[in-house]
Amino acid sequence: MDTRFSPMTTTTVSPHPEYSIAVFSDPSTLNAILKAVLHTIFFHRYFTNVRPSTQNILHLTLPYVEAPELNQLIDTRIHQLNRQLNSTSGPGTSIRGGIGVQFFERKRRLSTAETTMMNLFGIRPGDGATEDVCWETWRVEVTLAIPRTQEEQKKVTKAMETSLKRTVMKIIATANANTDHIPPIHTQEINPFPYQIILNPKNGNGM
Amino acid sequence: MHQFPRSPPATASPAQSSRTNPTRTNNPREPGSPARAISSGTNTPVLSDEPTFSAAHSTTAEEKDVIQRLNKTIQNLFYKAALLILQDRLELPPAYTQKTNQPRVNKWFSLDVPESDVLLPDVRVWRNFDVSVASQPPIMIVDLRISSKDLKDNQTLVVTDEFGKTRYVEDAVKSYYESLGQDFKPGFDIVVERWQFDLDGFTSQFPKNLVSILPKTYKNAVVLFRALFSMLHLLPAWSLSRKSDIGAKSRSLPKLSYRIYEKSQRSLEPGLDGLHIPLPDSDNQELEDYIFETLDTPAGKFKIKVSYRKNCDFQLQTSEATISSRIDESDLFKPSLRRQSNEFEPLLQDLMPPPRRSSRQILQDADQAQQAYGSLSTYHLAGRPIASSPLSTLRAVGAARELNTASPRDSPPSKLLPEHRNVQDSHETPRSEAMPRNIRRTSVTFSPFKSPSLSASPSHLSGEHLPVPQVVPVVGNRSSALTALAEARNPGFNPHTSNFSSTVPTSSTTPLSASPRPTSRHSASYAHRRSQNSLNLGRDDDLGGSSRTSPRPGTAEGNASSGSLNADDDNISEFLKMLDNKKELKSFRSPSESGLAESSARRTSAALSRYSRLRDSNAILSDSVSSSVLGHRSSTSSSRQLSSVPAMVGGASLSTASSPGERMSPRTPHTPAIPSRLSANSIVDHNAHRERNVGMTIPGNEASEGRAESVQSPGIGAIDIPSSPRVYQTTYRRPSSVAQQRLMRFGDDDLGDIAPFENRSTSLGGNREREPLSLSRMLASQDEANAGLIAGPTNQAIESAPMSRQRSTSSQDESGYNIGSSSRGAYRARVASRGHLGRHGSSTSLAGERGSASGGSDSRGGRYSFQRSRDNEDEELLFAMSDFGVAQQGRRSLEEAGRGNNTQT
């Protein structure tokens, strides 16, 4: 009777979906493009109630998540990536870099004693008893083009527009098509899933 | 039992069924059964092997609560989707809370969207959906559309395609409906986006763990709606939203409206759906679909699909801009054509009454016709604006042509166009709408003016369908030349066209005598002529290359003539009657005129001889021309017939008639070679031939007069050697495109621009005959001729030539008709008088004149002589027309007579 639909179980070790997104940009537009891509990703994984808003970039209108903390984190990471790319870039070269976005499910990892304490005395375990388990990773692979002439700049700009739209469409389709692994949501008041934005994620789930 | 295939609940199912039947009128089982069958096949993962319960039989409060939650979820899947889309695309009025008077926000699926009550009536079906009661909910369709009802009176919706080409939406819709054979009613309803929401595989049999399933459904719905929101701004229709920063600021956006309905409610006729109406003229597929990920719910699979137009570059144009653009492009010509078409019928009926159609009207008609051609040409070129195209064509033709064409156009159009537009527009629009495509097409073909580029098709069209005028009306309708063309093609016009063709020949004759008759016919004929004249401009060039150009004209003429021969015969018979009636008049007048004619004939003969001498150098060309002429005669039945017709009229006329016919034929064979002017000429020739034939028959007098005139003119021309040959040439061309030339002359006379036209014609003719026919040569020759003509002497020569002709004719006809008006007025008067005089008196006097003329031509010998004589005749016809014209004619005639005498002497 009470057979419950068992939501997708998350284990700390189990592999999780990882999606790769390609971004093509020139240095001057990189910040805006990365911001747009990251916001698009978060918009589809940020389960808090939001008042949908948008941002315009390269003739595209893309979703924007109005969350100060998130915005700050995104800006910080983009700035860091820019510095990294600038340090290795040169005219006429194309540089690669990456940003990873990870979503976690916060679980309480209870020891037997803690479980007993909770059951018997209602004592909540401390913070150390929680565990964040990554359930999804997005890898944003950045290709930075540095045009030397105006003609190249035009080509790059056009390629950026095309690439950005393709990327966004891919994010939307991927995020919408892969939902079974999303942990159950227990609250709408706060963001149920912690997240991380890291530079140059490693291949594989280990980031 | 069979309805509930699953075993565990099986026991319960019968009970449920028993319960439901008595309590609910809507037995869920029946409707539900098919859904269950589907669901059993597609079993959602949740249901597999899980104990289930029926929504209708939920016993416990918990089950009822869960069912209620599921209901809300399903209801909001539909409603929130529609709300989100419409709030994003439109400006929906907000809804307020009753107590706090604060805007209400719909927070379903973690997406805050302002509520709006305006949707409630439209989505009632889905908002009241109950999984325990209803069967599968209907498919919800949300159309975002642009309706003509939402446009203001002064607004026009246009769409710009990927190539930057703008098209009027209503025209596109109209043409599309016509292509489907559907009646087009003004207005349109273009769907730019169609959203479809469906709960597929509906089931009311839920697993016992429904409570635990719902959160996942909700979570996935959150993602789905986020994706929906994101996609909303990537679809082309987003640019139509006033919330969009992309499109709203750069253009005047049309108002979007929406329509929510059940898919089953509307069974749109295939092809007539506002979503599938093709707008841009491109082969690219205009529609695309995007299907969102299916959302599994306990009650079925929720699917979202959107079909959208890839090109949503719509914008509004104000009527001013639209009118100006259209006028510039196409409208100018339309009005005249329409008018002619409108007038035509009555005119045909009232052939006899010499119209009150003032010379002006006739001229206007001619101008209009030209314009129409221009419009047509435009159509051919760009498929858009008529005006532009003609201009461009003219430019392309060459400076000489430009001068010629420009003068006719400019002078008459400027004056005439506005009026015509007004009148014609009103008339034309209805017709255009009513016009079938066939007519439009024909009209399109007509556009002969562009003949150079279009030459072949237009020539045929022109030859066959005088309908051009009709076409013009079509063009007048509005929009792009395309529509005009389409309208022109309309079969409805064909009758008219046929009439025109038939009438045209008559009219051609009529032009001379035309005025009396049916203004309509005459006008039409004039229109044709003028149109042809415009062509003639081109023809002038062709004249030189007559042999080359002749082929086309021959074909076109043959076609047109064949088609209209019967009608022509009828018309001819009528004309003959007319002539008979009027002969008396002429006879009265004739004596003096005859004398004049004779003198003129002598003069002409002398001039012709001179010309022949001059042309001796061009003997080769003449040979070719003669051969071509002969071939034409033999080949083109129409020309022959026409010639025969004149024979009917009178022996004298016959000779002249035959000559023109011959001329026509030669041109026709050669015409094809030369694309531009020649083609145009050829086209003109077709009409002209008919007209000529008619004119020859009827106006035999005119022809004779024309000869006399030509004689005089030559005399005049003799003074100006270059001009005189030109004049002859013009006459030559005129024979082929006599009507046109006449029109041109008329227009010139009226406008005082005669000189340029004549110059053109003359120059063209000379050039043509001499030169073999390359377009470049033609153009160059034209240019030269124009330059020379324009330079100064041309005007005089031209004027003198026509004047002389006119004078001679006028001397004949004018005796009765001279009104003594200005040159323009004279032309007009001429037209009118021609109608009367030409037909009536011309027969007698003309016959005599013709005879003389023919003799002169013969003496001159040769093909040229014939051609020239014909040309002269054509010119004579024109002159006759002019002669009828009063004042100028009178003046000019006097002067010319003097000149002619001088020259002769």
Side-chain angles (χ1 to χ4, degrees):
Chain A
M1 292 293 292
D2 291 339
T3 55
R4 295 174 61 88
F5 170 78
S6 60
M8 180 172 49
T9 57
T10 58
T11 60
T12 54
V13 184
S14 65
H16 58 271
E18 184 173 318
Y19 311 111
S20 181
I21 301 297
V23 168
F24 177 81
S25 176
D26 62 10
S28 62
T29 320
L30 179 61
N31 287 3
I33 289 181
L34 278 179
K35 191 172 184 178
V37 169
L38 295 178
H39 271 275
T40 301
I41 293 172
F42 275 97
F43 184 73
H44 294 86
R45 290 293 185 256
Y46 196 77
F47 290 89
T48 304
N49 245 21
V50 297
R51 178 177 174 276
S53 57
T54 59
Q55 58 180 332
N56 294 325
I57 175 176
L58 294 177
H59 304 98
L60 291 178
T61 301
L62 302 177
Y64 181 81
V65 180
E66 292 183 348
E69 293 181 358
L70 176 61
N71 291 336
Q72 185 176 357
L73 179 60
I74 288 175
D75 290 341
T76 301
R77 291 292 183 268
I78 290 175
H79 178 69
Q80 293 173 349
L81 178 64
N82 248 329
R83 282 195 304 181
Q84 171 189 320
L85 295 177
N86 288 334
S87 63
T88 59
S89 65
T93 61
S94 63
I95 303 152
R96 297 181 182 278
I99 286 183
V101 178
Q102 294 176 313
F103 295 99
F104 299 90
E105 177 188 17
R106 179 155 296 174
K107 287 185 176 181
R108 294 188 179 90
R109 186 171 56 188
L110 303 178
S111 63
T112 305
E114 289 172 338
T115 303
T116 302
M117 292 290 285
M118 278 190 61
N119 293 336
L120 296 178
F121 308 104
I123 300 173
R124 294 175 61 87
D127 292 341
T130 61
E131 180 183 23
D132 290 341
V133 178
C134 180
W135 54 268
E136 187 175 79
T137 296
W138 295 79
R139 301 172 63 84
V140 181
E141 298 176 351
V142 178
T143 300
L144 194 64
I146 303 175
R148 289 171 292 188
T149 64
Q150 285 191 343
E151 288 187 359
E152 288 182 356
Q153 180 62 53
K154 290 180 180 177
K155 292 179 181 178
V156 168
T157 301
K158 190 172 183 179
M160 284 191 297
E161 294 179 5
T162 304
S163 172
L164 179 59
K165 184 170 185 179
R166 190 187 309 124
T167 299
V168 170
M169 294 287 289
K170 182 177 180 181
I171 293 172
I172 295 170
T174 302
N176 194 25
N178 301 278
T179 55
D180 287 343
H181 63 283
I182 300 175
I185 300 171
H186 301 290
T187 178
Q188 292 183 350
E189 299 302 325
I190 59 172
N191 179 28
F193 304 119
Y195 53 82
Q196 279 188 357
I197 301 177
I198 60 176
L199 294 181
N200 302 318
K202 299 175 182 177
N203 291 333
N205 291 328
M207 294 295 285
Chain B
M1 294 297 293
H2 64 280
Q3 297 173 349
F4 304 93
R6 295 174 186 172
S7 59
T11 54
S13 63
Q16 292 174 351
S17 64
S18 64
R19 291 177 188 175
T20 57
N21 286 333
T23 56
R24 301 178 185 278
T25 56
N26 301 342
N27 184 353
R29 293 185 305 168
E30 291 305 326
S33 58
R36 287 173 190 164
I38 296 172
S39 66
S40 63
T42 59
N43 273 336
T44 53
V46 175
L47 298 177
S48 60
D49 295 338
E50 295 290 341
T52 61
F53 68 95
S54 172
H57 304 289
S58 58
T59 55
T60 65
E62 181 183 3
E63 287 180 344
K64 290 181 179 178
D65 180 63
V66 171
I67 294 297
Q68 188 60 26
R69 290 169 60 188
L70 177 60
N71 273 337
K72 286 290 184 185
T73 301
I74 300 299
Q75 293 167 6
N76 277 285
L77 283 174
F78 286 95
Y79 171 65
K80 184 67 176 282
L83 180 65
L84 177 62
I85 292 169
L86 296 181
Q87 283 288 15
D88 197 74
R89 292 282 188 263
L90 310 172
E91 296 283 351
L92 298 179
Y96 298 94
T97 58
Q98 294 178 348
K99 295 181 180 178
T100 62
N101 199 26
Q102 295 293 322
R104 286 189 286 127
V105 176
N106 185 312
K107 295 181 178 294
W108 271 88
F109 309 119
S110 299
L111 209 56
D112 293 352
V113 177
E115 284 275 14
S116 181
D117 292 335
V118 297
L119 289 182
L120 297 181
D122 297 325
V123 297
R124 183 176 292 121
V125 173
W126 296 276
R127 276 180 66 90
N128 295 332
F129 174 73
D130 187 346
V131 295
S132 63
V133 175
S135 60
Q136 183 169 354
I139 295 174
M140 183 174 75
I141 302 293
V142 178
D143 278 351
L144 287 164
R145 55 183 188 154
I146 304 173
S147 176
S148 59
K149 297 176 182 177
D150 295 330
L151 301 181
K152 296 178 182 178
D153 292 339
N154 63 340
Q155 290 179 333
T156 303
L157 182 66
V158 300
V159 60
T160 305
D161 64 13
E162 54 188 333
F163 304 106
K165 186 177 179 180
T166 306
R167 191 178 188 192
Y168 293 97
V169 171
E170 187 163 2
D171 294 339
V173 174
K174 183 178 179 181
S175 62
Y176 176 67
Y177 271 62
E178 290 175 351
S179 68
L180 296 178
Q182 299 287 336
D183 294 335
F184 172 74
K185 297 179 180 178
F188 54 82
D189 194 2
I190 298 298
V191 176
V192 296
E193 269 185 2
R194 171 163 297 163
W195 295 86
Q196 178 174 312
F197 306 93
D198 182 20
L199 187 61
D200 191 18
F202 171 78
T203 180
S204 59
Q205 194 72 19
F206 307 114
K208 289 294 183 182
N209 63 347
L210 179 62
V211 173
S212 63
I213 295 171
L214 283 179
K216 181 186 179 183
T217 300
Y218 187 88
K219 175 194 64 182
N220 291 341
V222 170
V223 178
L224 174 63
F225 276 86
R226 299 290 172 91
L228 175 60
F229 178 83
S230 297
M231 280 303 301
L232 275 173
H233 304 99
L234 295 177
L235 296 175
W238 167 243
S239 64
L240 295 174
S241 172
R242 300 183 190 282
K243 295 180 179 179
S244 169
D245 293 335
I246 297 175
K249 295 178 180 177
S250 61
R251 52 186 173 153
S252 178
L253 293 177
K255 178 183 177 183
L256 278 179
S257 58
Y258 70 92
R259 179 173 54 199
I260 301 175
Y261 56 94
E262 301 177 18
K263 185 175 184 180
S264 59
Q265 286 180 344
R266 292 174 180 269
S267 58
L268 296 173
E269 297 181 26
L272 296 183
D273 186 0
L275 179 65
H276 298 93
I277 295 175
L279 294 181
D281 267 344
S282 65
D283 295 335
N284 294 339
Q285 191 171 359
E286 294 187 55
L287 295 179
E288 279 191 355
D289 293 339
Y290 184 86
I291 300 174
F292 288 80
E293 195 67 23
T294 299
L295 174 65
D296 289 333
T297 72
K301 294 178 178 297
F302 183 70
K303 296 180 178 178
I304 301 177
K305 173 187 173 183
V306 57
S307 301
Y308 59 92
R309 288 183 179 275
K310 293 165 64 177
N311 181 9
C312 285
D313 194 3
F314 296 94
Q315 60 181 342
L316 294 176
Q317 279 190 358
T318 59
S319 60
E320 295 177 354
T322 302
I323 291 173
S324 63
S325 64
R326 289 190 174 182
I327 289 175
D328 294 341
E329 294 175 353
S330 59
D331 285 349
L332 297 177
F333 304 92
K334 293 181 179 180
S336 64
L337 292 178
R338 289 182 180 177
R339 215 198 216 182
Q340 293 174 346
S341 62
N342 292 337
E343 295 174 353
F344 233 42
E345 296 175 354
L347 294 174
L348 294 175
Q349 295 175 351
D350 303 339
L351 295 177
M352 296 306 294
R356 291 288 174 101
R357 246 191 180 184
S358 60
S359 58
R360 262 193 190 178
Q361 289 177 342
I362 297 170
L363 294 174
Q364 289 176 350
D365 292 345
D367 295 342
Q368 291 173 349
Q370 292 176 348
Q371 292 176 348
Y373 287 104
S375 65
L376 294 175
S377 65
T378 54
Y379 170 78
H380 289 285
L381 294 175
R384 272 198 195 173
I386 296 169
S388 63
S389 64
L391 295 175
S392 62
T393 54
L394 293 174
R395 295 175 183 174
V397 171
R401 281 190 180 178
E402 290 177 354
L403 295 175
N404 296 333
T405 56
S407 63
R409 272 193 189 173
D410 297 344
S411 60
S414 62
K415 297 176 181 178
L416 299 176
L417 291 177
E419 298 175 355
H420 292 291
R421 291 177 183 174
N422 296 336
V423 177
Q424 294 172 346
D425 289 343
S426 61
H427 298 289
E428 295 173 355
T429 52
R431 284 189 178 181
S432 63
E433 293 176 354
M435 305 294 277
R437 282 188 174 183
N438 296 338
I439 293 171
R440 294 178 181 177
R441 293 176 182 176
T442 56
S443 67
V444 172
T445 53
F446 271 154
S447 56
F449 278 2
K450 297 180 177 180
S451 57
S453 61
L454 301 176
S455 61
S457 63
S459 64
H460 294 287
L461 294 175
S462 65
E464 293 177 354
H465 305 282
L466 296 179
V468 172
Q470 294 174 345
V471 173
V472 172
V474 172
V475 174
N477 283 349
R478 28 173 107 156
S479 49
S480 57
L482 294 176
T483 57
L485 294 173
E487 292 175 354
R489 295 176 182 174
N490 289 344
F493 285 96
N494 293 337
H496 293 286
T497 57
S498 63
N499 294 337
F500 281 97
S501 62
S502 63
T503 58
V504 168
T506 58
S507 65
S508 63
T509 58
T510 56
L512 302 178
S513 61
S515 60
R517 276 190 187 168
T519 53
S520 63
R521 289 182 181 177
H522 292 287
S523 65
S525 65
Y526 285 101
H528 294 295
R529 293 179 179 178
R530 291 182 181 178
S531 63
Q532 294 174 348
N533 290 339
S534 63
L535 295 175
N536 288 340
L537 297 176
R539 283 185 178 181
D540 294 344
D541 299 343
D542 295 346
L543 295 177
S546 62
S547 62
R548 297 177 180 176
T549 55
S550 60
R552 285 184 181 175
T555 56
E557 291 178 355
N559 297 338
S561 63
S562 63
S564 63
L565 289 176
N566 295 334
D568 293 345
D569 294 340
D570 295 341
N571 295 331
I572 292 168
S573 62
E574 294 176 354
F575 282 106
L576 294 174
K577 293 178 181 178
M578 296 290 293
L579 295 173
D580 294 340
N581 294 334
K582 294 180 179 179
K583 285 180 179 178
E584 296 175 353
L585 296 175
K586 286 186 176 179
S587 64
F588 291 102
R589 301 171 184 173
S590 61
S592 62
E593 293 178 352
S594 63
L596 295 175
E598 293 176 354
S599 63
S600 64
R602 294 175 182 175
R603 295 176 183 176
T604 55
S605 63
L608 293 173
S609 63
R610 294 178 181 176
Y611 284 101
S612 62
R613 294 174 182 174
L614 295 174
R615 293 179 182 176
D616 291 341
S617 63
N618 298 330
I620 296 171
L621 295 175
S622 66
D623 293 342
S624 63
V625 172
S626 63
S627 63
S628 65
V629 171
L630 295 174
H632 288 290
R633 292 178 182 176
S634 63
S635 64
T636 56
S637 61
S638 64
S639 64
R640 291 181 180 177
Q641 291 175 349
L642 294 174
S643 63
S644 65
V645 172
M648 294 299 291
V649 175
S653 65
L654 291 175
S655 64
T656 57
S658 65
S659 65
E662 292 174 354
R663 295 174 182 176
M664 297 298 288
S665 63
R667 291 180 181 176
T668 56
H670 294 283
T671 47
I674 298 170
S676 65
R677 294 180 181 178
L678 292 176
S679 63
N681 292 333
S682 66
I683 296 167
V684 174
D685 291 344
H686 298 291
N687 296 333
H689 289 292
R690 296 177 183 176
E691 294 176 353
R692 293 174 183 176
N693 296 335
V694 175
M696 293 304 291
T697 58
I698 296 169
N701 296 334
E702 296 175 353
S704 63
E705 293 175 354
R707 292 178 180 178
E709 293 173 353
S710 65
V711 173
Q712 293 175 350
S713 64
I716 296 167
I719 297 170
D720 297 339
I721 295 170
S723 64
S724 64
R726 293 176 182 176
V727 173
Y728 285 101
Q729 292 172 348
T730 56
T731 59
Y732 285 94
R733 294 177 181 175
R734 290 175 184 174
S736 62
S737 61
V738 171
Q740 295 175 344
Q741 292 176 347
R742 292 175 182 176
L743 295 175
M744 295 300 290
R745 291 180 180 177
F746 290 112
D748 293 345
D749 293 344
D750 295 341
L751 298 176
D753 296 339
I754 299 166
F757 287 101
E758 292 178 352
N759 293 335
R760 298 171 185 172
S761 64
T762 57
S763 65
L764 293 174
N767 293 335
R768 291 177 183 175
E769 293 176 354
R770 296 174 181 175
E771 294 176 356
L773 306 181
S774 65
L775 294 176
S776 62
R777 290 183 180 178
M778 295 297 292
L779 295 175
S781 63
Q782 290 177 347
D783 294 344
E784 294 175 355
N786 293 335
L789 295 174
I790 296 166
T794 56
N795 294 337
Q796 296 175 347
I798 293 167
E799 292 177 353
S800 64
M803 292 299 289
S804 64
R805 297 174 184 176
Q806 293 173 350
R807 293 171 185 173
S808 64
T809 55
S810 66
S811 63
Q812 299 171 347
D813 295 342
E814 284 175 356
S815 62
Y817 290 89
N818 289 344
I819 297 167
S821 62
S822 65
S823 63
R824 296 178 183 176
Y827 283 99
R828 296 174 184 174
R830 295 172 185 174
V831 174
S833 64
R834 293 174 183 174
H836 301 288
L837 298 175
R839 293 178 183 174
H840 302 288
S842 65
S843 63
T844 57
S845 65
L846 291 176
E849 293 175 355
R850 290 177 183 175
S852 64
S854 64
S857 65
D858 293 344
S859 63
R860 294 172 186 171
R863 319 154 178 173
Y864 288 100
S865 66
F866 284 100
Q867 293 175 347
R868 292 178 181 177
S869 64
R870 290 181 182 178
D871 294 344
N872 294 336
E873 292 174 354
D874 295 339
E875 291 178 354
E876 291 174 356
L877 295 176
L878 296 175
F879 292 114
M881 297 298 288
S882 65
D883 291 343
F884 292 98
V886 184
Q888 290 180 344
Q889 293 176 348
R891 298 174 184 174
R892 294 179 180 177
S893 64
L894 296 176
E895 295 174 355
E896 291 176 353
R899 294 178 183 177
N901 294 332
N902 296 333
T903 56
Q904 290 177 347
T905 57

